[in-house]
Structure formats: C-alpha cells, structure tokens
Amino acid sequence: CGGHGRGETMTKRCVKVLVRTRPTACFSQDQIQIDTQQSAVRICRREEREGSGLPSNQKEQWDFDFDKVLHNASQQDAFDSAAQEVVSAAVEGVNGSILAYGQTGSGKTFTMSGDSQNFKQRGITPRAIAQVFADIDEKPQLDFQVYASYMEIYNERIFDLLDDNGANNTDFQVTEDPRTKTMQVRGLSLVAVGTEEEALNVLFRGDQNRIVAEHQLNKNSNRSHSIFTLHIEQTSRIRTDVVLRSKLNLVDLAGSERLKKAIGDKIDDSLRKESTYINKS
C-alpha cells in the first residue's frame, strides 16, 4: 500500500488505504492526533520523565496519510467509504477485494461482519451482499448467476468453511482459473445464491465454523484469515455467448499480535503456534 499526495480523489486510485479508530473511553489524545479533514494521523512519542537532564536524539512524531480516516464512524459510514464503490464495480464486472487488517481486538471482525443481532450494526460483508443483489435488480437486461465460497487460512492451511462435515478439508491447491485467468482454490465449495437471504445464510453458516480462541487481548479472537467471495457471472439477454465474470473478496484477517501481550506468562503451545503463523502470513 503506497501513500499519496493530499487532494487526490479516491476514485483515481486502484488501491485505497483507510484507517478506522476503535472508540474507547480513554483515548490517547496526547499521543494520537487525528485530522479527518486531511485524512491524516500523527503519532507522538510519550513524554519522558521530566528532569532527566539527558538529550534526546530520537524522533518525536510520525505522520501518516491515508485515503480516509474514519474516527468515531458508524457502520454505514465505514461501508460507504471503504466498500460501496468496490461492490458496485464488481457487479459491473471488475474484480475487487476489501481487507480488514490490524491488531487483535481492534475491531476488524466487527467492521467486516458486525453484530448479527443488530441490523443497524451489521458490517461491510452483509451490507455488500445486500448491495450486490440490489444492483442486480436494477439491471433487468442482464442475466446474473451468483455463487459464494468461504474459506479460512489457519496455521498456513486452507479450510473450507462451507464443508460442515470436514470431508472436503484436504490439502487445497491454489491454481489459475483457465476461464477467468485469476487465482482460485481448487476444490473449494461453490454455493449458488439467488437472493440476499440465501447469501446471508451461507455467510452465517461459514461463520459458525471459524476457529476462535480466548487470550489476554481478546476473549473471542479469530485465529484465522477468512475470505468470503461472491463469484458473479453476467450474460446479456441479447448476446448470450458473452459471459462476464468477476469476484468480490471480503477478507477478515486474523489479528496481528505480540506474544508477550497476547499470551503473557501463560504457556500455551497452540496459541503460540497460531500467533507465529498469523504474524508470519
């Protein structure tokens, strides 16, 4: 992810980098300065103890520019800023990916999945599903076929989250799809979804199979990277021999973490192994 000069429009960029702050009752305003107008964040070094009398040759602050800074933003604001254009482009035939990355407990899964019990707090993925089928309904001149796949990468292995019995969770291979010339996971389940409700059911079904664990930084930490993909095929009612295919990847990465903070003095070989693979990937 590269930086960019201030003033560029987001629509000119193929890759956008947004940062979202997690609301907290004790925000470090002296150390973290947020400028939502300029889409910038300044990190300041914690003040040293006064009276030390020692000179400091260390850098005192760091400045970061982003395409957008979401500070105290709602779920709808997060979707509008990070996903809406990507989702619309996918229905038009352009491949797109949305990834949530950050430290464990920073709110990645809440941003991507949201609260399934609160419609207002639903995340980017269910909102993207709703928009895909809403956009399809506005194109009666085209025939659409939509398929969903859902996988996780855990300890450097790929698992099919839509294979409830685990019978299909062998060693998957990443290959090139000869039809689309894009990468694919050979043998991964593809489920046809004709409505928003069907797609949401597939999403929730896969969520139940994700691997989570409790540690000091997060009581319900996802221990794997998950990728929910909508495979969209469209054909014209006039020219049925032309098929336009695209993919929309919605990715919730496992939280990066420091072993000392996550595990502490508790010796847990499985958590230690998971954390090593998470940070490695």
Side-chain angles (χ1 to χ4, degrees):
C1 298
H4 68 93
R6 293 180 180 175
E8 288 186 44
T9 60
M10 292 178 63
T11 55
K12 294 181 180 179
R13 298 177 57 79
C14 294
V15 178
K16 304 175 190 176
V17 182
L18 296 83
V19 62
R20 185 183 192 187
T21 60
R22 177 172 178 171
T24 174
C26 187
F27 192 79
S28 303
Q29 296 182 359
D30 294 335
Q31 291 179 259
I32 305 174
Q33 300 172 10
I34 297 174
D35 187 340
T36 55
Q37 296 298 319
Q38 296 294 330
S39 297
V41 176
R42 172 172 291 178
I43 308 296
C44 301
R45 183 183 296 277
R46 186 189 299 273
E47 294 183 2
E48 300 295 334
R49 184 177 301 173
E50 295 181 0
S52 63
L54 298 176
S56 175
N57 296 321
Q58 295 179 319
K59 191 172 181 179
E60 297 296 329
Q61 63 186 37
W62 295 262
D63 293 314
F64 302 91
D65 290 345
F66 301 91
D67 290 284
K68 184 81 172 179
V69 174
L70 299 169
H71 184 51
N72 294 329
S74 67
Q75 292 285 71
Q76 184 63 52
D77 289 339
F79 175 79
D80 291 342
S81 300
Q84 190 173 46
E85 292 180 5
V86 180
V87 176
S88 293
V91 180
E92 297 292 338
V94 180
N95 294 325
S97 297
I98 302 167
L99 303 89
Y101 169 81
Q103 185 179 2
T104 184
S106 59
K108 299 177 302 301
T109 299
F110 178 74
T111 295
M112 294 304 295
S113 299
D115 184 353
S116 61
Q117 304 300 317
N118 188 330
F119 183 78
K120 185 178 180 180
Q121 297 298 333
R122 66 196 189 283
I124 284 178
T125 300
R127 290 174 189 268
I129 291 172
Q131 183 178 327
V132 164
F133 286 98
D135 288 355
I136 287 175
D137 288 341
E138 295 179 357
K139 300 180 183 297
Q141 73 278 15
L142 300 173
D143 283 327
F144 282 89
Q145 297 291 330
V146 183
Y147 303 87
S149 64
Y150 202 0
M151 70 175 183
E152 70 175 350
I153 302 173
Y154 174 69
N155 286 351
E156 296 295 283
R157 290 189 60 195
I158 297 173
F159 293 87
D160 189 346
L161 292 176
L162 301 182
D163 181 15
D164 298 325
N165 299 321
N168 196 32
N169 283 327
T170 57
D171 289 330
F172 291 99
Q173 292 185 345
V174 179
T175 61
E176 183 180 68
D177 187 336
R179 300 181 306 165
T180 62
K181 303 300 180 182
T182 60
M183 303 309 294
Q184 66 171 356
V185 178
R186 182 181 297 172
L188 196 67
S189 298
L190 275 180
V191 179
V193 288
T195 64
E196 175 187 349
E197 182 179 2
E198 291 179 0
L200 287 174
N201 288 337
V202 171
L203 174 67
F204 297 148
R205 175 178 141 203
D207 283 340
Q208 298 301 313
N209 294 327
R210 286 200 69 182
I211 296 173
V212 299
E214 177 180 349
H215 57 64
Q216 294 181 172
L217 297 180
N218 192 347
K219 292 184 178 180
N220 195 32
S221 175
N222 287 316
R223 311 306 296 165
S224 64
H225 308 304
S226 74
I227 306 175
F228 180 82
T229 303
L230 290 177
H231 308 253
I232 305 171
E233 299 182 359
Q234 56 178 288
T235 56
S236 171
R237 295 183 184 274
I238 300 174
R239 294 192 58 187
T240 57
D241 58 321
V242 178
V243 181
L244 185 61
R245 297 182 176 91
S246 59
K247 293 180 183 179
L248 176 62
N249 300 306
L250 300 157
V251 185
D252 181 12
L253 296 172
S256 59
E257 57 197 26
R258 293 182 180 179
L259 287 175
K260 185 176 181 180
K261 287 187 175 182
I263 301 177
D265 297 328
K266 182 176 65 175
I267 303 300
D268 189 317
D269 291 338
S270 62
L271 275 178
R272 189 181 301 275
K273 179 181 178 182
E274 288 171 359
S275 297
T276 301
Y277 276 120
I278 288 169
N279 293 336
K280 179 181 177 182
S281 61

